Amino acid sequence: MTPAEERSGDLLDVALADEIELVSDLVVAASSSPRHFTPEEVDELLGVPGTADDGSAPGNDAAADPAG
C-alpha cells in the first residue's frame, strides 16, 4: 500500500468522522453563547441520553452526590 493510499484510508474512519462532527457542532454552539454551558447542556447538544437529574448521565456516581 502506498503512503497516499494509507492516508486516504484514515479518512474513512466513520467513528472518528462522527466525533469530529459532534465536536464541531459543540464549538459552533459555544461560540454563539456568551456563557459556559452546563454539563447537562453539553449532553443535550451532543444528543447524550439522560440527565443528571435522573441519574443516567455518564459520569454520574456516588462521589458526585453530596448526600451519598
Side-chain angles (χ1 to χ4, degrees):
M1 183 178 283
T2 68
E5 290 170 334
E6 288 176 6
R7 283 192 301 273
S8 68
D10 291 344
L11 298 176
L12 299 177
D13 186 337
V14 176
L16 179 60
D18 289 344
E19 289 181 23
I20 291 170
E21 184 176 351
L22 286 173
V23 170
S24 64
D25 290 347
L26 187 57
V27 168
V28 168
S31 68
S32 65
S33 176
R35 61 178 181 76
H36 292 169
F37 291 127
T38 64
E40 292 80 15
E41 290 171 323
V42 171
D43 288 349
E44 183 178 339
L45 286 166
L46 295 177
V48 175
T51 65
D53 295 330
D54 68 11
S56 63
N60 190 10
D61 57 17
D65 184 7

